[in-house]
């Protein structure tokens, strides 16, 4: 073989090895970029605006309220869309439609598939004869009785530094985050009933959702331990959970208020401190 041919062959081998090295390096860089800790603040499954297409198949542990919370719906509207009536029973395997004009699937039609997941509704109170306004002195109103929805009448859910505030420009931050200590008490901000208690909503960890009335609900995420159960009635200031870091990377409470299914800025309702 001639010297020129040898040099050419060596040059070709070198170029080939260099190309392989560059390809491998690119792959390693890409892997390294994705090998870091994935963001844990992922609330992409809880929409800011209602999902208006497709459907959801009920899983064990779901409630109508948790599904409505996840997909940005007012629970009453979602119930009406699917022909679900009080006591708002849903069962695993049932299809919850979001699209307009879709066929409504009766709860009874799927009741044989699995034991029902029942949403507890407080029994309607017996109607008492109306009394004159003068017979109900203001002095007898208990300070702890909070009328949800009235500005300044809510309680702070816990003590601590506010580390993240509500943003109307992003789908990730639909409430406020409050830093604190592991095991710190989380309290109900207003009277209501627990409509969800579990860890089925991605990005919220151990979550409690409280229904205050037909308009407002509040949500408390990332708890270490839940102290209430679905269907339980709670009072403003009652401890409902212990602060934790489930579903996130630090000890904190993620708190939301939703009005007719839409996230609103909690600072518009919480008292100044």
């Amino acid at each position: 073989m001639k010297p020129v041919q040898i040099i050419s062959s060596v040059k070709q081998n070198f170029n080939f090895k260099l190309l392989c090295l560059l390809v491998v390096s690119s792959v390693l860089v890409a892997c390294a970029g994705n090998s870091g800790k994935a963001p844990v603040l992922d609330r992409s499954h809880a929409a800011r605006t209602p999902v208006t297409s497709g459907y959801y198949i009920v899983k064990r542990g779901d409630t109508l309220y948790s599904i409505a919370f996840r997909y940005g719906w007012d629970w009453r509207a979602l119930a009406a869309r699917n022909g679900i009536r009080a006591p708002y029973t849903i069962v695993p395997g049932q299809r919850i439609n979001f699209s307009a004009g879709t066929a409504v699937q009766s709860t009874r039609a799927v009741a044989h598939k699995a034991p029902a997941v029942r949403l507890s509704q407080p029994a309607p109170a017996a109607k008492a004869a109306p009394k004159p306004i003068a017979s109900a002195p203001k002095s007898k109103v208990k300070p702890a009785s909070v009328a949800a929805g009235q500005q300044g009448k809510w309680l702070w859910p816990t003590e601590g530094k506010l580390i993240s505030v509500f943003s109307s420009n992003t789908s990730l931050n639909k409430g406020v985050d409050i830093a604190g200590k592991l095991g710190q008490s989380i309290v109900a901000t207003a009277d209501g009933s627990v409509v969800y208690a579990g860890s089925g909503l991605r990005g919220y960890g151990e979550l409690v959702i409280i229904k205050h009335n037909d308009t407002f609900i509040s949500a408390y995420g990332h708890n270490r331990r839940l102290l209430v159960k679905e269907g339980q009635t709670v009072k403003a200031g009652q401890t409902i959970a212990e602060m934790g870091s489930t579903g996130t990377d630090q000890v904190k409470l993620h708190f939301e208020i939703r009005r007719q299914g839409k996230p609103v800025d909690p600072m518009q309702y919480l008292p100044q401190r």
Side-chain angles (χ1 to χ4, degrees):
M1 181 179 295
K2 296 181 180 180
V4 175
Q5 292 177 329
I6 295 174
I7 293 174
S8 177
S9 177
V10 171
K11 186 175 182 180
Q12 289 177 355
N13 290 336
F14 176 78
N15 290 338
F16 177 74
K17 292 179 178 179
L18 180 61
L19 179 61
C20 291
L21 181 60
L22 290 174
V23 172
V24 172
S25 298
S26 299
V27 172
L28 291 175
V29 169
C31 293
N34 295 328
S35 63
K37 188 175 182 180
V40 292
L41 185 61
D42 181 3
R43 299 193 179 97
S44 58
H45 285 62
R48 178 177 293 279
T49 56
V51 173
T52 55
S53 62
Y55 59 89
Y56 175 80
I57 301 298
V58 177
K59 298 179 178 61
R60 186 173 181 81
D62 286 335
T63 69
L64 179 66
Y65 297 92
S66 67
I67 295 172
F69 183 88
R70 178 182 299 173
Y71 293 103
W73 279 75
D74 174 47
W75 64 271
R76 293 173 301 171
L78 190 60
R81 173 62 57 88
N82 290 271
I84 302 173
R85 299 178 180 179
Y88 306 105
T89 301
I90 60 175
V91 296
Q94 182 175 350
R95 188 167 78 171
I96 303 297
N97 292 309
F98 302 122
S99 304
T102 52
V104 173
Q105 185 179 23
S106 170
T107 301
R108 293 182 181 179
V110 294
H112 66 281
K113 293 184 178 180
V117 179
R118 182 168 294 276
L119 301 178
S120 299
Q121 279 289 103
K127 294 184 178 179
K131 296 181 180 180
I133 296 176
S135 65
K138 293 183 179 180
S139 60
K140 291 186 178 180
V141 177
K142 296 180 180 180
S145 181
V146 178
Q150 297 181 11
Q151 188 170 358
K153 296 296 184 180
W154 297 69
L155 301 179
W156 278 85
T158 194
E159 296 292 333
K161 181 181 179 181
L162 195 65
I163 57 175
S164 182
V165 297
F166 176 86
S167 173
S168 59
N169 298 322
T170 174
S171 62
L172 288 179
N173 201 351
K174 305 181 202 60
V176 296
D177 289 352
I178 305 171
K181 297 180 180 180
L182 188 65
Q184 183 173 314
S185 294
I186 307 299
V187 304
T189 60
D191 297 350
S193 59
V194 178
V195 293
Y196 181 79
S199 56
L201 273 71
R202 181 181 176 186
Y204 287 89
E206 294 290 340
L207 173 69
V208 175
I209 300 177
I210 297 177
K211 172 178 171 283
H212 302 291
N213 50 40
D214 286 346
T215 302
F216 287 92
I217 66 171
S218 59
Y220 313 73
H222 305 315
N223 301 289
R224 178 178 74 173
R225 187 162 69 103
L226 306 183
L227 304 177
V228 291
K229 298 179 180 180
E230 290 172 13
Q232 181 176 338
T233 300
V234 295
K235 291 291 185 180
Q238 179 178 336
T239 301
I240 59 173
E242 295 178 354
M243 185 180 290
S245 58
T246 57
T248 188
D249 56 356
Q250 70 178 102
V251 176
K252 64 180 179 181
L253 169 70
H254 176 75
F255 174 69
E256 295 185 18
I257 294 177
R258 297 203 179 190
R259 186 178 188 275
Q260 295 180 338
K262 297 181 180 180
V264 293
D265 186 356
M267 301 303 291
Q268 295 178 354
Y269 300 90
L270 297 174
Q272 294 183 353
R273 64 177 188 179

